[in-house]
Amino acid sequence: MSSGGFASQNGAGGPYSNGPSQSPVGVFSSNQGFMAPPQPGYINTVPSKGPPQPQSHPIMHRSTPPLFQPLANSVNHAPPVMNVMAPPLPPPAAVRGTPPLPPPAHSDGVFPARPGQMPRPLTSSYPSLQPAYQSASSAQTPPPAQTQLYTPPPAQTQLYSQTPPPAQTQLYPQMQTAPAQTQLYSQTPPPAQTQLYPQTQLYPQTQTASAQTQLYPQTQTASAQTQLYPQTQTASAQTQLYPQTQTQLYSQPSAAQLSPSLASLSLQSQPPESLRVVNLLQERSLLPPGSVPPPVPCLPHDLQKMNCSPEVFRCTLTSIPQTQALLNKAKLPLGLLLHPFKDLSQLPVVTSSNIVRCRSCRTYINPFVTFVDARRWKCNLCHRVNDVPEEFMYNPVSRSYGAPHKRPEVQNATIEFIAPSEYMLRPPQPAAYLFLLDVSHNALETGYLDVVCQTLLDNLDSLPGDARTKIGFITFDSTIHFYNLQEGLSQPQMLVVSDIDDVFLPTPDSLLVNLSECKELVQDLLASLPQMFSRTMETQSALGPALQAAFKLLSPTGGRMSVFQTQLPTVGIGSLKPREEPSQKANAKDVQHLSPATDFYKKLALDCSGHHVAVDLFLLSAQYSDLSSLGCISRYSAGSVYFYPSYHKQHNPPQTERLQKDLKRYLTRKIGFEAVMRIRCTKGLSIHTFHGNFFVRSTDLLSLANVNPDAGFAVQMSIEENLLDLQTVSFQAALLYTSSKGERRIRVHTLCLPVVSSLSDIFAGADVQAITALLASMAVDRCVTASLSDARDALINAAIDTLASYRSSVLTVPQPGLLTPACLRLLPLYILALLKHKAFRAISGRLDERVFSMCQLKQQPLAFLLMMVHPGLYRVDQLTDEGALNINDRTIPQPRAQQLSVEKLSRDAAFLMDCGTVMYLWLGRNCSPEFLTQVLGVDGYADVPLNMIQLPELDTAQSSRLRAFIDWLRERRPFHAVLHVIRDESPLKAEFMQNMIEDLSESALSYYEFLLHLQQQISK
Ligand SMILES: [Zn+2]
């Protein structure tokens, strides 16, 4: 495609069918093009910024530090930082002989604590806030004056619907032509203009001192408070207080007045509903009927409509605090949740020989830059003014000249570039897939090898790649077996290497072969492998040496290593000892052995990462296999971890079904090789801690040997410099990768968010799901650096701190109850769900299952993480088409989500519980015989088989409705959910009941008790 070309790439099929397949090739990132050259040596932790901040609630004496300490206590209670060593990029010419990277001498744990560095004093934000408040001479402005500002509502609506906000015009002049501006001022009545324009409109809370006093109740008199919130005394009054319509809203003083900026910026997109005061002790039905919608940032409509999709890019706070001090006061974590390589149904792809980027900070041009004039644009991250290149003046979409702001790069917050050669350091490498298979007696006994070989055979032609795709196999027990698959052989040739202390490649050139040229040999091998070892009595496992061999084989090209392991590695380097203690069953308060027993797997992962090899681990095991050690191999090489506990082909059919379906997705999903992801943000903000599977190469650069569409990432941020002069800030994630068809591509996502100066605005924009996901990742780190009980306490404290801050700093009238703004009403429930989640629950279970749950919290994108933390519960025995979705001629019922409590179950009904990777169809004892017959095909309750995992395809309306609903739920995730039909006698009933998060359990509080606990702590 010629320079300036533009194409649209459409994904095929449903969200988790695979998009257009790509071909294999590999390339290095360029020094000048995309990323800064890798920094050799050690990457130190990010220094903590700012002075220790006193706890704003001194009454709350706690031994456990809060989970997030944005700046303040980070020296003492540092959030874990990816403190790992940066492997230098291998020199392109001499890959094969490259010695292993220097061992990370200081890598004494997965999450070394941040070294205690002297905190840099933070310039106090309050003095600089003063000028803004000085104009607030009307300190005693009575509420009527405020009311006047917003009334009459029709006028206000008119103002914003007809006249673009002046501030907006000022911010993004490229969106407005000069005549529009002129018109704007001629239409707006001068007094209003004077009053509103420009800052006061965006930040009207700085207008009056009453707004200020609202934020800082200690300076306020009780009468003033009463005046501000005359009717917020009881929950029932609240319910009536904030009706949906604007007219009513502004006719009464309401929560909206806490944040006039929200109202003025975007009346439509951010209803003040988010600040409605909710008394959790009284309001029980908190769940929305369907899924919880992400908050919409409070931006002008034309900016918001171009903003990045929340499915790809979310921030815990959709309104960014102006200062770190303000953020600290809110006691909310600030971070980003990313799903950067998500399968997208629509993705604009641009081919350009000259990708336009800021000359100073290398930001890609995006919808949120400003055009100073037709020839110059101002970077929204560093504010440098750049020239518009001549060729950017031409718009390939409209085929017109002279409108750079209409270019696709400036119209799409998510866009992909096909990168020119300057983004490569070596020629594109072929896609390379290496399979490393456990063939010990234990492994063969589970029957997994049949499933893996058969699934691979079935999908061999669907592996992403092109004519150059390479494939190879290694099997291992106490020795290592290579397979010569060279073209011309009549059958695969097995080569056994028994010296596991010094592994070498017997025939280096014929072990990783061209798939299309050697396909028959590969098919032969896959067909015969399960038989070859069926009688083995070899029980040992030399996983470590096998991994070393696989690394040697794959390191010249880079690629993907898929490891299947069924037991603890017992011989050679990397062998492990059982560490699970049966005594832990009694008391899981402090679970041991959550950190790795050896750094072998981490070191090897870093070597792999340096050579663009990612390692995916499939652990299928009935016994303890030390996932906390083995998982490091995937974690630091940007791989994925899959776990099938108690896997057995015959004895555990649901696990077999899961493995088959997961494996199909795994083998055929899109893949990017040799990837790096850089996350940039507007000057003043700074990124410090990353969560996910990757290697941190420099402060904002993640090395991803592979990137897959199912991987999620999170980062924590702090505010280093005050954002006082900014109305918005932006975040940009740029993912440079090599497609499986050998193209170097860059996928760029840009998210724009408003900056706010009041606590109420911060709270109004809080994204409870993103906050929960970030807290979960932080708590996983805390488990490893401190202890499980410490992490649990920190989670509880996060909820206490946030609600206490809301109560003391946003609410001004003392009210009874446990109060939250509506947007955070699910926070205590989600925190309780985390406390009862397998990762953090206090009752003991299998250690590997706990560790795997922790891996999931770190590697799953937000949407799937939430499924696992807070399952969906739906009554399904009376599904109707009312309110159903219609997708491609399918009618999908949408039953209402229910609270996770036994009191919601009814003996004469049936309920579906969706926990992410498993679903339960629970049947009440008195469930209608009609449902049993029409949906399950049985005559009575007692006839329901105890191990039923599939619904029969019956030709009844009830059956098709339920199956359509379950299919639809399953399609919305990239992993398979097994279905268990259960009744009272089913062995899995206990597991089902354990997910009733709101109920009292053996070791944990009920939701109501938990709320009382929070209230007690807050009012201490
Ligand atoms: Zn810049």
Side-chain angles (χ1 to χ4, degrees):
M1 192 176 286
S2 64
S3 159
F6 176 75
S8 185
Q9 174 182 300
N10 292 303
Y16 292 102
S17 64
N18 292 284
S21 64
Q22 302 195 342
S23 71
V25 184
V27 191
F28 272 93
S29 63
S30 134
N31 281 354
Q32 357 164 309
F34 178 68
M35 306 298 184
Q39 299 174 7
Y42 298 103
I43 299 305
N44 286 319
T45 53
V46 179
S48 55
K49 301 128 194 150
Q53 205 72 23
Q55 289 269 340
S56 67
H57 312 291
I59 308 165
M60 289 161 33
H61 297 296
R62 294 182 308 221
S63 55
T64 309
L67 194 54
F68 56 92
Q69 282 288 16
L71 290 182
N73 304 339
S74 58
V75 177
N76 297 326
H77 308 289
V81 170
M82 296 298 308
N83 185 12
V84 286
M85 186 200 62
L89 275 177
V95 174
R96 197 163 300 197
T98 308
L101 296 161
H106 68 304
S107 58
D108 51 348
V110 193
F111 305 105
R114 185 183 296 185
Q117 298 191 21
M118 284 307 289
R120 188 145 47 84
L122 183 79
T123 41
S124 168
S125 53
Y126 285 107
S128 51
L129 270 174
Q130 286 316 310
Y133 287 117
Q134 276 169 9
S135 65
S137 53
S138 53
Q140 301 309 317
T141 305
Q146 255 192 352
T147 312
Q148 207 174 15
L149 186 65
Y150 294 101
T151 49
Q156 192 186 27
T157 313
Q158 211 175 14
L159 176 69
Y160 292 112
S161 61
Q162 288 186 351
T163 314
Q168 177 193 342
T169 315
Q170 191 187 35
L171 255 179
Y172 303 96
Q174 79 279 15
M175 304 299 173
Q176 300 287 339
T177 57
Q181 263 184 353
T182 315
Q183 206 176 17
L184 174 75
Y185 293 117
S186 63
Q187 282 181 356
T188 313
Q193 189 186 11
T194 315
Q195 202 173 16
L196 288 173
Y197 179 83
Q199 292 160 329
T200 41
Q201 190 185 28
L202 271 172
Y203 303 101
Q205 70 276 24
T206 61
Q207 281 179 324
T208 64
S210 67
Q212 187 184 11
T213 46
Q214 275 177 337
L215 294 180
Y216 307 100
Q218 64 277 15
T219 65
Q220 202 178 21
T221 62
S223 65
Q225 286 167 12
T226 317
Q227 279 178 335
L228 277 172
Y229 301 99
Q231 289 153 334
T232 51
Q233 296 302 330
T234 65
S236 60
Q238 286 163 19
T239 319
Q240 293 162 348
L241 244 185
Y242 308 101
Q244 293 304 317
T245 65
Q246 286 174 10
T247 313
Q248 286 173 313
L249 178 72
Y250 292 111
S251 64
Q252 295 177 321
S254 75
Q257 289 189 350
L258 278 173
S259 56
S261 63
L262 298 186
S264 65
L265 264 173
S266 172
L267 277 175
Q268 284 93 9
S269 61
Q270 184 79 39
E273 163 66 18
S274 64
L275 274 185
R276 178 172 63 86
V277 182
V278 174
N279 181 354
L280 292 173
L281 294 173
Q282 290 189 0
E283 199 165 319
R284 292 303 310 276
S285 301
L286 301 174
L287 294 174
S291 51
V292 179
V296 180
C298 207
L299 288 167
H301 179 69
D302 55 351
L303 284 188
Q304 181 49 35
K305 92 179 172 213
M306 282 197 290
N307 221 348
C308 199
S309 161
E311 293 184 335
V312 170
F313 215 149
R314 260 164 99 163
C315 186
T316 54
L317 304 179
T318 58
S319 293
I320 303 293
Q322 266 187 344
T323 65
Q324 180 69 38
L326 199 55
L327 174 62
N328 291 351
K329 205 166 181 204
K331 301 279 181 190
L332 286 164
L334 179 60
L336 301 170
L337 284 295
L338 290 105
H339 189 178
F341 204 50
K342 183 184 191 314
D343 287 328
L344 298 170
S345 55
Q346 283 279 322
L347 176 65
V349 178
V350 171
T351 306
S352 172
S353 59
N354 181 10
I355 298 174
V356 179
R357 301 172 64 180
C358 173
R359 289 176 64 86
S360 173
C361 71
R362 310 302 289 148
T363 290
Y364 294 79
I365 197 165
N366 62 74
F368 311 106
V369 303
T370 317
F371 282 86
V372 178
D373 53 43
R375 287 290 182 167
R376 289 179 306 157
W377 62 279
K378 188 174 173 187
C379 176
N380 51 330
L381 271 69
C382 74
H383 314 302
R384 179 194 165 113
V385 174
N386 294 274
D387 291 337
V388 176
E390 176 61 31
E391 62 194 77
F392 203 76
M393 298 299 289
Y394 176 74
N395 185 344
V397 181
S398 61
R399 295 169 185 258
S400 58
Y401 185 86
H405 62 278
K406 294 277 179 62
R407 290 268 306 195
E409 294 92 328
V410 190
Q411 291 289 317
N412 294 283
T414 287
I415 195 161
E416 190 152 289
F417 297 95
I418 297 178
S421 56
E422 71 206 53
Y423 289 80
M424 314 175 184
L425 270 191
R426 66 173 178 176
Q429 300 294 300
Y433 304 110
L434 179 60
F435 295 87
L436 192 55
L437 303 161
D438 181 352
V439 291
S440 63
H441 173 75
N442 181 66
L444 271 288
E445 217 277 318
T446 66
Y448 96 91
L449 198 53
D450 303 289
V451 176
V452 170
C453 289
Q454 189 57 50
T455 310
L456 192 47
L457 264 178
D458 294 345
N459 293 286
L460 212 48
D461 293 330
S462 310
L463 286 177
D466 59 10
R468 302 193 306 153
T469 302
K470 287 185 164 190
I471 195 167
F473 298 87
I474 293 175
T475 58
F476 63 98
D477 42 34
S478 63
T479 58
I480 298 167
H481 326 124
F482 296 90
Y483 297 87
N484 183 345
L485 297 166
Q486 197 165 36
E487 206 182 356
L489 288 176
S490 60
Q491 62 180 54
Q493 195 178 39
M494 183 163 99
L495 307 155
V496 179
V497 172
S498 51
D499 182 2
I500 57 170
D501 294 328
D502 184 18
V503 181
F504 63 96
L505 301 179
T507 55
D509 297 333
S510 54
L511 303 177
L512 195 63
V513 297
N514 182 295
L515 176 58
S516 57
E517 287 166 8
C518 308
K519 190 178 282 176
E520 285 182 13
L521 283 174
V522 170
Q523 286 167 332
D524 268 9
L525 178 65
L526 288 172
S528 54
L529 259 183
Q531 297 310 314
M532 284 164 63
F533 295 95
S534 61
R535 292 171 193 282
T536 184
M537 294 311 286
E538 184 56 74
T539 56
Q540 303 284 19
S541 171
L543 174 65
L547 283 168
Q548 287 180 323
F551 168 64
K552 278 189 184 172
L553 187 51
L554 212 44
S555 56
T557 48
R560 181 174 79 190
M561 193 194 300
S562 313
V563 180
F564 293 82
Q565 172 74 4
T566 68
Q567 60 173 317
L568 208 58
T570 51
V571 291
I573 192 161
S575 61
L576 298 164
K577 299 253 180 311
R579 296 193 292 166
E580 192 175 34
E581 293 155 21
S583 62
Q584 278 186 10
K585 301 259 179 207
N587 179 6
K589 250 209 144 115
D590 277 310
V591 174
Q592 303 299 308
H593 309 308
L594 291 171
S595 45
T598 164
D599 63 358
F600 168 77
Y601 295 96
K602 178 179 174 181
K603 283 183 183 173
L604 189 57
L606 296 184
D607 290 345
C608 286
S609 176
H611 290 79
H612 305 291
V613 174
V615 186
D616 297 322
L617 175 66
F618 289 78
L619 185 61
L620 312 106
S621 177
Q623 19 164 318
Y624 174 70
S625 302
D626 198 349
L627 187 55
S628 42
S629 298
L630 296 184
C632 293
I633 191 73
S634 299
R635 167 170 192 170
Y636 296 102
S637 68
S640 318
V641 177
Y642 294 81
F643 183 42
Y644 304 86
S646 306
Y647 180 87
H648 196 282
K649 191 181 172 189
Q650 269 83 43
H651 304 161
N652 197 343
Q655 292 286 36
T656 302
E657 182 186 317
R658 253 187 77 207
L659 176 63
Q660 272 169 337
K661 299 266 169 80
D662 286 356
L663 204 50
K664 180 175 176 8
R665 163 75 186 168
Y666 170 78
L667 292 171
T668 57
R669 73 188 178 189
K670 201 169 158 160
I671 184 169
F673 297 97
E674 302 189 317
V676 280
M677 180 164 71
R678 194 185 290 275
I679 302 168
R680 295 179 169 88
C681 41
T682 295
K683 191 167 169 290
L685 292 164
S686 126
I687 290 171
H688 57 85
T689 303
F690 298 86
H691 303 277
N693 292 353
F694 47 73
F695 167 71
V696 185
R697 198 191 276 174
S698 68
T699 48
D700 59 352
L701 183 65
L702 304 183
S703 190
L704 306 166
N706 290 178
V707 61
N708 75 71
D710 305 333
F713 302 88
V715 299
Q716 286 167 244
M717 289 187 300
S718 55
I719 302 167
E720 275 194 339
E721 296 167 31
N722 295 343
L723 309 167
L724 297 182
D725 301 328
L726 300 177
Q727 270 111 4
T728 63
V729 289
S730 299
F731 308 91
Q732 188 172 75
L735 179 71
L736 174 66
Y737 70 99
T738 303
S739 78
S740 56
K741 297 214 185 312
E743 281 171 328
R744 201 68 174 147
R745 288 174 168 240
I746 310 158
R747 189 173 294 189
V748 179
H749 306 287
T750 313
L751 176 71
C752 178
L753 295 175
V755 177
V756 299
S757 59
S758 78
L759 272 180
S760 56
D761 282 354
I762 298 171
F763 274 98
D767 182 338
V768 70
Q769 293 194 317
I771 288 170
T772 305
L774 188 63
L775 289 177
S777 275
M778 292 157 76
V780 170
D781 287 356
R782 183 62 68 85
C783 283
V784 179
T785 54
S787 68
L788 175 66
S789 57
D790 196 61
R792 287 172 55 84
D793 290 348
L795 279 171
I796 299 169
N797 290 342
I800 293 171
D801 287 346
T802 298
L803 298 187
S805 163
Y806 172 71
R807 178 183 267 281
S808 65
S809 303
V810 179
L811 280 181
T812 47
V813 178
Q815 294 178 56
L818 182 61
L819 306 174
T820 97
C823 60
L824 286 173
R825 69 193 187 281
L826 293 172
L827 185 64
L829 180 62
Y830 284 157
I831 297 284
L832 182 66
L834 283 175
L835 295 172
K836 295 187 177 188
H837 188 261
K838 262 186 190 162
F840 304 118
R841 61 175 60 153
I843 45 168
S844 192
R846 288 184 53 188
L847 187 52
D848 282 342
E849 290 193 29
R850 186 186 293 273
V851 172
F852 178 65
S853 295
M854 293 179 168
C855 294
Q856 293 278 59
L857 293 178
K858 285 272 206 168
Q859 71 186 19
Q860 287 296 339
L862 175 65
F864 312 129
L865 184 147
L866 258 296
M867 277 180 195
M868 296 171 184
V869 170
H870 187 271
L873 181 68
Y874 313 91
R875 179 167 180 171
V876 293
D877 60 318
Q878 294 171 339
L879 291 177
T880 66
D881 290 345
E882 196 186 325
L885 289 180
N886 280 293
I887 302 174
N888 300 335
D889 295 334
R890 291 187 305 156
T891 304
I892 299 143
Q894 297 292 298
R896 198 188 156 88
Q898 308 281 336
Q899 283 169 251
L900 290 165
S901 169
V902 174
E903 75 184 38
K904 291 287 163 191
L905 299 180
S906 152
R907 284 196 162 267
D908 51 12
F911 285 82
L912 183 76
M913 181 190 275
D914 175 11
C915 311
T917 57
V918 58
M919 293 182 188
Y920 302 95
L921 177 60
W922 179 87
L923 305 170
R925 185 165 282 281
N926 304 329
C927 186
S928 81
E930 191 196 353
F931 178 80
L932 297 176
T933 316
Q934 295 196 354
V935 175
L936 300 171
V938 297
D939 293 332
Y941 189 74
D943 297 329
V944 178
L946 283 180
N947 55 358
M948 192 173 192
I949 59 167
Q950 244 165 2
L951 296 183
E953 292 190 22
L954 301 178
D955 192 18
T956 65
Q958 279 282 28
S959 169
S960 17
R961 284 198 190 105
L962 181 52
R963 284 183 291 115
F965 180 52
I966 291 175
D967 288 348
W968 175 75
L969 288 174
R970 280 178 169 161
E971 283 162 18
R972 286 151 55 87
R973 68 202 67 184
F975 40 82
H976 183 65
V978 178
L979 175 72
H980 294 286
V981 180
I982 56 171
R983 54 185 169 101
D984 276 354
E985 297 76 11
S986 301
L988 288 173
K989 190 183 162 195
E991 277 189 34
F992 169 77
M993 288 301 174
Q994 236 168 20
N995 290 304
M996 290 297 181
I997 286 159
E998 301 200 16
D999 293 341
L1000 180 69
S1001 71
E1002 186 188 332
S1003 63
L1005 301 178
S1006 71
Y1007 177 58
Y1008 192 73
E1009 290 168 327
F1010 183 62
L1011 293 180
L1012 291 178
H1013 174 71
L1014 295 182
Q1015 189 193 23
Q1016 193 187 17
Q1017 293 297 314
I1018 289 166
S1019 52
K1020 241 186 197 173

